[in-house]
Amino acid sequence: MNLSQEKANKVLEIISRYSKKISSQNIFAEVIHYTALMAKELVEADRCTIWIYDEVREDLWSKVSHGIDEEIRIDSHKGIVGDSLQIKQPIIVNDPYNDPRFNNEIDKELGYKTKCILTYPIIGEDGKIVGVFQTVNKNESAEKDHFVEEDIEILSIASSFGSKILIGEHYEKINDYNRSAQSIAFKKQRTAVVNQLENSLYLDTQIIYKPADVLSGDIYSIYKTEEGNILVFIVDAMGHGIMPALTSYAIASLVKQYIKTANYLQDIASEILKSLEPLMADGEQVSCFFMWFDKDFKTLDYFGGGMYPQMVKQGKKITKLKSNNPPLMSFTRKIKIDALELKDFSGLFMYSDGIIEDEEFGVEKDHLEKM
């Protein structure tokens, strides 16, 4: 995402604040409500509607439409929202009264003037439409009085959240996380994962990543900096459902932003510490392990919090790196970083409790520690 540092910080602050609010809700309507508020604030809009697609009736209906209390249904083949659904693309209209797709009857009923519209489709990994975000008008504090391409980039974050939430509602109804749900969860969580060594000619990475729930709190990424240093991390937010998924997503997004300017692992740790209090709910815990290899693989800096020992192979020798911090919590104020001098580095094995808990994979903790 090509945002200025100031704008990126603002986006991360909004995500952190609403992640906490969303995760504390048990009622689906309230989750949708706060997700719409997050989208509205992200793009500095006056109003936001989340339209949910009804495959049976082939229409769109809304539980949340700021300024309107009752449920609304619209034709999924008509209007700007319907067009966005059909082409599965975001749409900006900054002069809606001169757009033939725009229906001004609602404006007449509400006494409201629509000046600009931004829609963003919410699409499942199977390519099916889940819903559509619709934001209307810029608010008075916005820098611009119309939507721009940057707003599309920012709204894509809210769309990712929305897809997780709406798919989550579907599986809550059937109350069974089956293999299909696991597949969807894998693909959804995978959007937050980065592996910049995937096509490396010199380093081989093999990954097993299979969340056990529709919304999982496990995320990993592998980055290579411009100087050639390598950051590898695993984040495992405790719990199931929306809360850990949003927390892990936010931490991964933060790392993705600051890895561009980081020179040391301490830089990443400092940014994580700044974000923990606004990001995490009271009592929430995050297990993690972060490793920073220098470009020559001579030194490894690391910190772990509440995670199983990770294994570094040097020649035939395996060194187990134990967590040197407790799990991260909202009140964490310090992260201890240790260093390991490397000789003949030949491999790394990182894992979370997911690889042990997965019945199909069938690995015991003792087996891992004997490897």
Side-chain angles (χ1 to χ4, degrees):
M1 188 174 291
N2 299 316
L3 303 178
S4 67
Q5 191 68 44
E6 182 180 357
K7 178 71 76 171
N9 289 340
K10 184 177 180 180
V11 167
L12 285 171
E13 185 275 325
I14 293 170
I15 292 172
S16 298
R17 179 156 38 85
Y18 277 99
S19 293
K20 193 170 182 179
K21 289 181 180 179
I22 292 168
S23 66
S24 66
Q25 303 302 316
N26 295 319
I27 301 173
F28 176 72
E30 289 300 308
V31 172
I32 290 292
H33 171 70
Y34 281 112
T35 303
L37 286 177
M38 180 181 71
K40 185 162 77 89
E41 190 169 341
L42 279 171
V43 296
E44 301 177 299
D46 183 50
R47 297 184 176 186
C48 177
T49 302
I50 296 179
W51 297 99
I52 301 172
Y53 183 52
D54 187 331
E55 282 187 296
V56 176
R57 296 177 55 166
E58 293 190 350
D59 65 5
L60 288 155
W61 60 278
S62 172
K63 284 186 176 183
V64 175
S65 183
H66 297 131
I68 303 174
D69 294 328
E70 61 188 46
E71 181 179 303
I72 308 169
R73 285 188 176 266
I74 61 174
D75 193 325
S76 62
H77 294 84
K78 295 181 180 180
I80 297 168
V81 174
D83 195 18
S84 185
L85 179 146
Q86 296 300 326
I87 66 174
K88 298 183 179 180
Q89 294 291 330
I91 295 175
I92 291 178
V93 177
N94 286 321
D95 187 12
Y97 276 79
N98 286 318
D99 191 304
R101 296 169 296 181
F102 178 65
N103 181 357
N104 63 5
E105 291 302 317
I106 295 179
D107 275 10
K108 291 179 181 179
E109 292 178 13
L110 300 176
Y112 186 79
K113 176 72 172 181
T114 300
K115 300 175 183 178
C116 54
I117 298 170
L118 166 60
T119 64
Y120 200 104
I122 306 169
I123 303 173
E125 288 299 324
D126 56 3
K128 292 183 179 180
I129 282 285
V130 179
V132 180
F133 275 98
Q134 179 189 25
T135 57
V136 176
N137 291 358
K138 286 285 188 173
N139 60 39
E140 293 180 357
S141 63
E143 296 179 5
K144 296 182 174 63
D145 62 358
H146 59 282
F147 293 111
V148 295
E149 290 297 317
E150 183 180 79
D151 293 315
I152 291 178
E153 290 189 72
I154 295 173
L155 195 57
S156 69
I157 298 173
S159 177
S160 178
F161 276 58
S163 65
K164 289 179 173 67
I165 290 165
L166 294 178
I167 290 172
E169 184 203 34
H170 171 67
Y171 289 107
E172 181 182 357
K173 286 180 179 178
I174 64 175
N175 196 29
D176 180 20
Y177 295 148
N178 54 28
R179 289 185 178 276
S180 175
Q182 291 187 21
S183 175
I184 292 173
F186 169 78
K187 293 174 182 177
K188 277 297 172 188
Q189 289 295 102
R190 192 65 171 80
T191 63
V193 168
V194 176
N195 179 7
Q196 294 184 344
L197 298 183
E198 193 169 12
N199 298 315
S200 173
L201 298 176
Y202 308 103
L203 296 168
D204 179 31
T205 57
Q206 298 183 33
I207 295 162
I208 298 171
Y209 185 72
K210 182 181 175 185
D213 293 306
V214 172
L215 295 173
S216 172
D218 291 53
I219 284 181
Y220 77 90
S221 281
I222 305 172
Y223 288 97
K224 184 175 183 180
T225 69
E226 292 184 2
E227 291 75 21
N229 303 311
I230 292 174
L231 172 68
V232 187
F233 72 87
I234 292 178
V235 173
D236 180 10
M238 300 296 100
H240 301 280
I242 293 170
M243 180 185 292
L246 294 184
T247 298
S248 294
Y249 188 97
I251 291 175
S253 297
L254 184 147
V255 174
K256 185 176 183 179
Q257 177 65 33
Y258 288 105
I259 190 65
K260 299 173 184 177
T261 56
N263 295 311
Y264 305 98
L265 183 58
Q266 182 62 58
D267 298 333
I268 298 296
S270 297
E271 295 302 334
I272 291 174
L273 281 174
K274 292 177 187 177
S275 302
L276 288 178
E277 186 170 0
L279 173 65
M280 298 177 66
D282 293 339
E284 186 179 6
Q285 298 185 22
V286 171
S287 294
C288 63
F289 219 105
F290 283 72
M291 295 190 184
W292 180 283
F293 293 86
D294 76 306
K295 63 181 180 180
D296 297 319
F297 286 93
K298 298 298 183 183
T299 305
L300 166 62
D301 294 331
Y302 69 92
F303 70 84
M307 189 72 79
Y308 289 119
Q310 310 298 305
M311 302 175 200
V312 177
K313 191 173 183 181
Q314 303 177 73
K316 295 183 178 181
K317 177 184 176 183
I318 292 179
T319 302
K320 298 176 184 176
L321 301 182
K322 296 183 179 181
S323 290
N324 47 3
N325 297 268
L328 303 183
M329 301 186 73
S330 61
F331 54 78
T332 300
R333 294 293 177 267
K334 184 178 180 180
I335 294 177
K336 179 185 178 183
I337 296 175
D338 287 322
L340 175 68
E341 295 298 320
L342 298 176
K343 296 180 180 179
D344 192 23
F345 171 79
S346 57
L348 168 66
F349 182 73
M350 295 185 74
Y351 67 101
S352 70
D353 56 3
I355 201 170
I356 295 172
E357 294 174 357
D358 189 279
E359 295 179 359
E360 185 174 323
F361 197 69
V363 171
E364 298 292 336
K365 179 175 179 290
D366 290 344
H367 294 166
L368 292 174
E369 295 188 349
K370 291 177 182 177
M371 290 179 68

